[in-house]
Amino acid sequence: MIVSRRASLKLAGTALVGLVALPVRAGDLTTDKIPPRIPLDEFVKDHQLIDALRRGVRAMKARKPSDPLSWFFQAAIHGVTIELIQNATAGDPNLINVDQKKFWNQCPHFGQASANFLPWHRAYTHYFERILRAHTGEPRFALPYWDYFRPENYRFPREFGVRKLDQPLDGDSTNPLYHQERNIYFTDWEHWSGNNLPYSQLTPEAVDWSPARDVTIFFGQTEREGLAGGIADEDASTRGRLESFPHDPIHRLIGGLIPRPPLPNPADPANPIPQEPIAGGMAFPPTAGFDPIFCVHHSNLDRLWAEWSLMPGKSWGHFPPQDWFDDQPWHFYDVVLDNGQLKAVEVSRSRKEYFDYRTLGISFKSEDLTKTPLQLPDPTPAPPAALASLMTSLARIDGFTAVNGLMPERFAVNSVADRLRTPFAAARTAAIAVGPPKRFLMRINGIDLNNVASTGFDVHLVGDTSTKPQRSDASFLGSIALFRHDGQQAVAAGPHVGHGKNIRKASDTFDITGALAASGQADPSKLHVVIVPYSLAATVSDQKSIVETNALRFDSIEFLVSG
């Protein structure tokens, strides 16, 4: 069953009103050392642990939205829409007293430099874990992680995908881990097919994190480089490698697209006006945190960062200035036990304190404790000379408007030769010359993903278009960012770009310096932009990629030089 966003969000808001929080069941879980996080597929086999997760989520959902320990408030720290706030305020007038600008819509996916993504989400997940654990009453509880890299875990977890529990919990059979606004073909275990399986599952391409795993530096000189990206660029929507692989595809596929009923047409009642579908909860930053699957997805991303930091040959790369590390830009709530009641305590710490997960008390069953994670020096070294912020356009090519799902398999921009011959020749010469550093960027302007539900798009700059390029090739620039739905940005609340203010049509910026230098072309006009679609989903029955024909659309491709 698919319901409209308005109806389901109204239900979500009113369901939180007038309920009393459940008591803590055992001891002071706010001071105990948290056990190691374990894989979700192992976690769910322990009935006490999965019941503790359900009980904790239910207890947080029972608190009023204005309570910092409530599910609503914690989800809103990541992102929340105006509509959700209005619905919740109708039943909880105290919501108007919340300092929304300070606490809500803090996620750095849009409007903040990409290097904020990993430390912010580690902090957010850490405090959320502590609050959830305090509500479970289970001393063995730690937030599990969804290890979707293993083929047996390609399916959406059943424990999150059923509406009713097999055995009622405390007399209630409603599953608190179920979320209405999901891609039912991937997430629903009570699907119309009647076989108690979801229709689709993840593909190896959707969960491939090798572009992030194999990068050697954490901070990039630009926001497209490194595991985490950088702190300064001309395009605030850019992402570091781990945010692109596998963070974005998982969000997009879980949320999917939810159809909306047509609008009445007063001029022609027999022909109602169709509406574009909207992104489901996990596919849209201001609603993603309301889905219970969010926390186990981000627990896994935190594990990947930890795993990367234990690998040999890794370094920090282009350090930000010391004041970036010392800054305290984010506000969270922690939890303490006060006279037998859970109490929220505001927390604001420096960025650098979120870089050492072991000091925070986070651990993972899979990690090698004999190895030491990559350590930040204190103080950090002075950063290298920054790139000039001014970017000069070399050329802008209009008229390339669509890439149709998985058909054709690739899309080459071949007719750029005449207009790019001179600027590309200069760009390639400068890129390999000795002298002041220059970076060459390519920006895809006017991106529209609003009808694309389960396809990703890799971007390459190649000289030879006779063979399909791979992510391991030097031609690989990155992927189109999937965790956004630009048609919905106007309904989001908050001070950040992409969260309700300064809305503009999406763009994606790629650093092409390395691809230019590696192209080996004597004639730069023979370079081509190639966009390779890949499927995020395959059928469960025979593991065939699901072909989506809806198009990625964009307005133009622009080449720029910086530095």
Side-chain angles (χ1 to χ4, degrees), residues 448-500:
D448 180 1
L449 278 171
N450 293 347
N451 290 305
V452 179
S454 58
T455 305
F457 301 89
D458 287 347
V459 182
H460 295 259
L461 187 65
V462 305
D464 180 8
T465 61
S466 63
T467 59
K468 179 181 176 181
Q470 306 294 320
R471 287 180 176 174
S472 57
D473 297 342
S475 64
F476 180 57
L477 305 178
S479 293
I480 300 293
L482 297 176
F483 186 36
R484 62 186 180 200
H485 198 76
D486 300 287
Q488 287 170 252
Q489 296 298 345
V491 304
H496 305 313
V497 174
H499 280 177

Side-chain angles (χ1 to χ4, degrees), residues 407-422:
M407 299 187 304
E409 184 179 21
R410 64 184 183 182
F411 177 80
V413 179
N414 289 309
S415 58
V416 302
D418 291 341
R419 280 175 285 182
L420 291 187
R421 183 182 301 273
T422 299

Side-chain angles (χ1 to χ4, degrees), residues 293-305:
I293 200 67
F294 178 97
C295 59
V296 297
H297 173 36
H298 276 273
S299 180
N300 193 47
L301 291 168
D302 205 18
R303 177 182 71 95
L304 297 182
W305 177 12

Side-chain angles (χ1 to χ4, degrees), residues 288-464:
F290 288 87
D291 190 332
I293 200 67
F294 178 97
C295 59
V296 297
H297 173 36
H298 276 273
S299 180
N300 193 47
L301 291 168
D302 205 18
R303 177 182 71 95
L304 297 182
W305 177 12
E307 184 176 318
W308 181 91
S309 73
L310 295 172
M311 295 177 180
K314 306 302 186 185
S315 66
W316 289 111
H318 301 269
F319 273 108
Q322 183 65 41
D323 58 6
W324 186 86
F325 288 100
D326 294 337
D327 192 18
Q328 299 176 334
W330 308 320
H331 303 276
F332 302 99
Y333 275 99
D334 200 353
V335 62
V336 298
L337 192 64
D338 183 19
N339 293 322
Q341 299 293 321
L342 297 180
K343 179 181 178 181
V345 179
E346 184 179 340
V347 178
S348 181
R349 302 167 71 172
S350 65
R351 273 193 186 93
K352 65 183 176 186
E353 293 183 73
Y354 299 121
F355 278 78
D356 188 339
Y357 66 96
R358 289 181 178 173
T359 298
L360 287 172
I362 300 169
S363 61
F364 303 90
K365 179 182 178 181
S366 59
E367 72 177 291
D368 186 346
L369 295 177
T370 66
K371 296 180 179 179
T372 301
L374 187 65
Q375 297 291 300
L376 276 178
D378 193 15
T380 58
L387 290 175
S389 60
L390 179 64
M391 291 188 180
T392 303
S393 179
L394 297 172
R396 181 182 176 112
I397 302 91
D398 297 303
F400 304 101
T401 59
V403 181
N404 287 326
L406 299 181
M407 299 187 304
E409 184 179 21
R410 64 184 183 182
F411 177 80
V413 179
N414 289 309
S415 58
V416 302
D418 291 341
R419 280 175 285 182
L420 291 187
R421 183 182 301 273
T422 299
F424 257 44
R428 187 173 186 276
T429 300
I432 61 177
V434 177
K438 290 183 181 293
R439 308 297 290 192
F440 297 93
L441 307 176
M442 183 182 79
R443 181 171 293 163
I444 303 178
N445 295 304
I447 293 172
D448 180 1
L449 278 171
N450 293 347
N451 290 305
V452 179
S454 58
T455 305
F457 301 89
D458 287 347
V459 182
H460 295 259
L461 187 65
V462 305
D464 180 8

